[in-house]
Amino acid sequence: MEELIIKIILKALGGAVLGLVFWAGLLWTIQYGFKSKYYAILYPMSFFFRLVIVMLGFYYLAETDWVDLLAAFLGFLGIRLVFLRSIKSQMKYRVNDGKEVDDEVKS
């Protein structure tokens, strides 16, 4: 029983690493993509490479067991939630008068 729990925790950590690679790659692409001379190639290539890495990682982590795949997927989604919470505080937009406002609509 302990082996199963350790195995599931390791699969979830593996999914978290895949999520970190995917979401950090997306963040990097968004931040530096338009500064690049070849941004029209950078965006699809970034998506393709991130997708291939994540799919191969899930394939390796699953090992023909749906429980392992589920644990890896939950780790992946956990990192997504952490990324969303961490960058939400950084999402500020400047309006014409120089005030910073959130992305929320205020009436």
Side-chain angles (χ1 to χ4, degrees), residues 11-52:
K11 299 296 179 170
L13 287 175
V17 169
L18 289 175
L20 188 63
V21 168
F22 187 86
W23 299 110
L26 177 63
L27 185 63
W28 181 86
T29 304
I30 290 171
Q31 288 178 346
Y32 299 107
F34 283 117
K35 295 177 185 177
S36 172
K37 197 172 170 181
Y38 306 102
Y39 66 89
I41 296 172
L42 180 68
Y43 280 90
M45 291 305 287
S46 171
F47 174 72
F48 176 73
F49 284 126
R50 286 183 290 119
L51 186 67
V52 167

Side-chain angles (χ1 to χ4, degrees), residues 93-101:
Y93 300 104
R94 294 224 176 245
V95 293
N96 289 337
D97 58 0
K99 296 179 184 175
E100 290 185 357
V101 295

